[in-house]
Amino acid sequence: MNHDLEERIAAIGRMKTAELRAEWQRVFGEPPRSGNTAWMRKRLIHRVQVEVLGDLSPEAKARLEYLMQFAPM
């Protein structure tokens, strides 16, 4: 795994609620809709992964959207 990615994920894992909220504001440009720290960490870590590793292709996203209609609710 990319060393920078590992460090950034570890830093997010150590953040307290106020720090997570501030990081969320910095990254997304708006306050988080939830105070759930696990949710904020997951979303922030995903954003870091996309920045470092890249996002899914448009084709992969379209396929996931298609498959989601068959997922049990």
Side-chain angles (χ1 to χ4, degrees):
M1 185 184 271
N2 182 304
H3 184 66
D4 181 51
L5 178 60
E6 289 176 356
E7 287 180 7
R8 291 173 70 184
I9 289 172
I12 291 168
R14 290 188 300 270
M15 289 180 182
K16 305 289 185 216
T17 304
E19 294 169 313
L20 285 168
R21 286 181 168 283
E23 181 67 3
W24 186 279
Q25 180 75 39
R26 186 189 71 75
V27 170
F28 294 105
E30 61 187 30
R33 292 174 293 177
S34 170
N36 183 316
T37 57
W39 178 78
M40 287 190 283
R41 279 192 181 93
K42 287 177 190 177
R43 291 285 313 274
L44 286 166
I45 288 170
H46 178 257
R47 179 56 69 100
V48 168
Q49 289 172 326
V50 167
E51 286 176 15
V52 174
L53 303 174
D55 203 358
L56 294 174
S57 69
E59 295 82 12
K61 288 180 181 181
R63 180 72 175 154
L64 285 172
E65 286 294 321
Y66 170 76
L67 292 173
M68 284 301 295
Q69 66 185 322
F70 303 108
M73 294 293 217

